């Protein structure tokens, strides 16, 4: 009979091209041994956009202490939370993570411009498809389409409040055990970000998942689940 993991909280933060449903495979895989929380971030899924200035870090801190896992937008928020409130973050997993003030490639900037143009024209279906075509493998687009469209509908119907961020601390000050994950088929920006973070954070390791693009938990769930379980149980 083998020992099971000590139950503890794991908070999953979704990407900007999804909502909490993005994590359904991880919730199922980890839920037996961990208290798994997968909230919708403000402006996504069932979480409305606040009507006043707000902080993603404050929002996420309300679900902690625990381990913090984030993909893309959620990864950037997880990183900022760990840097600002390290006493609340027991372990940190950054999956194809965003990074503040990154010098994005022309490919990324041109995609954002196309999507923004469609959004400003009120063509939310077109903006949704542009997002899916750029970020998601064809076989997973039907799953994520309603999630992406929902976030764009919320954005279009609600004035955008001011976002407040804590002062960004150097990566080298982060002492939380950190796992950095990226797919080998992701955009080069995110591979570079992963290497940068893994090289700067004191207690970090980098894992590259073969065959995965940007939404790793959807595209290669078994591989990501195995990495998460190993890291969280360690």
């Amino acid at each position: 009979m083998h020992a099971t993991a000590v139950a503890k909280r794991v908070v999953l933060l979704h990407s900007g091209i999804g909502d909490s449903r993005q994590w359904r495979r991880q919730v199922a895989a980890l839920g037996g041994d961990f208290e798994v929380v997968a909230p919708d971030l403000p402006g996504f899924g069932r979480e409305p956009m606040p009507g006043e200035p707000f902080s993603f870090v404050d929002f996420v801190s309300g679900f902690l202490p625990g381990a913090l896992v984030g993909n893309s937008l959620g990864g950037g928020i997880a990183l900022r939370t760990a840097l600002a409130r390290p006493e609340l973050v027991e372990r940190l997993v950054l999956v194809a993570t965003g990074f503040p003030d990154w010098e994005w490639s022309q490919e990324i900037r041109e995609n954002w411009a196309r999507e923004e143009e469609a959004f400003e024209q009120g063509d939310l279906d077109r903006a949704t498809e542009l997002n899916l075509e750029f970020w998601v493998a064809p076989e997973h687009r039907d799953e994520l389409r309603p999630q992406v469209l929902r976030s764009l509908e919320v954005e279009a119907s609600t004035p955008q409040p001011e976002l407040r961020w804590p002062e960004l601390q150097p990566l080298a000050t982060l002492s939380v055990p950190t796992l950095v994950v990226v797919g080998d088929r992701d955009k080069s920006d995110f591979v570079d970000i992963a290497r940068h973070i893994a090289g700067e954070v004191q207690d970090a390791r980098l894992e590259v998942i073969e065959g995965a693009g940007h939404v790793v938990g959807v595209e290669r769930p078994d591989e990501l689940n195995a990495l998460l379980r190993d890291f969280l149980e360690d």
Side-chain angles (χ1 to χ4, degrees):
M1 189 172 176
H2 67 278
T4 59
V6 176
K8 58 183 178 181
R9 174 166 286 206
V10 180
V11 180
L12 307 174
L13 305 181
H14 61 79
S15 73
I17 48 172
D19 55 38
S20 60
R21 291 172 286 179
Q22 172 192 321
W23 293 115
R24 64 182 179 84
R25 300 164 180 84
Q26 287 67 50
V27 172
L30 300 174
D33 294 314
F34 299 91
E35 180 192 1
V36 182
V37 180
D40 287 323
L41 293 168
F44 296 84
R46 291 174 293 180
E47 186 68 29
M49 186 70 76
E52 57 189 23
F54 81 102
S55 163
F56 277 122
V57 170
D58 288 346
F59 176 83
V60 171
S61 295
F63 299 99
L64 299 171
L68 194 50
V69 181
N71 178 205
S72 194
L73 167 67
I77 294 169
L79 176 62
R80 296 289 286 258
T81 302
L83 286 167
R85 304 294 304 276
E87 73 280 3
L88 295 179
V89 181
E90 297 166 358
R91 287 180 172 266
L92 178 65
V93 183
L94 303 173
V95 183
T97 188
F99 191 80
D101 301 324
W102 187 257
E103 188 173 337
W104 298 101
S105 66
Q106 183 175 350
E107 179 190 24
I108 297 280
R109 288 185 279 110
E110 287 179 351
N111 174 72
W112 282 335
R114 287 191 297 269
E115 190 239 333
E116 181 68 18
E117 181 181 17
F119 180 83
E120 292 297 330
Q121 292 173 349
D123 192 346
L124 302 188
D125 289 331
R126 176 62 177 157
T128 297
E129 292 309 312
L130 286 168
N131 267 303
L132 294 170
E133 290 167 9
F134 191 78
W135 296 109
V136 183
E139 61 268 28
H140 301 293
R141 291 174 187 169
D142 286 347
E143 175 182 348
L144 292 178
R145 183 173 289 108
Q147 301 178 37
V148 176
L149 180 59
R150 169 61 182 164
S151 68
L152 292 173
E153 289 172 343
V154 172
E155 185 179 353
S157 64
T158 310
Q160 297 300 295
E162 175 192 349
L163 266 179
R164 294 177 173 172
W165 295 101
E167 182 179 354
L168 184 64
Q169 302 299 317
L171 288 174
T173 66
L174 184 62
S175 59
V176 174
T178 301
L179 173 65
V180 183
V181 180
V182 71
D184 67 347
R185 294 184 181 177
D186 203 351
K187 307 301 181 184
S188 60
D189 295 68
F190 290 90
V191 176
D192 291 342
I193 288 171
R195 291 172 177 158
H196 173 68
I197 294 173
E200 292 288 326
V201 174
Q202 300 176 39
D203 185 9
R205 86 171 198 253
L206 173 65
E207 294 284 350
V208 179
I209 297 183
E210 292 186 8
H214 194 60
V215 194
V216 181
V218 174
E219 296 179 353
R220 288 293 183 271
D222 293 342
E223 292 88 335
L224 180 61
N225 293 346
L227 286 174
L228 289 175
R229 180 169 293 281
D230 177 67
F231 182 69
L232 296 170
E233 290 180 348
D234 185 9

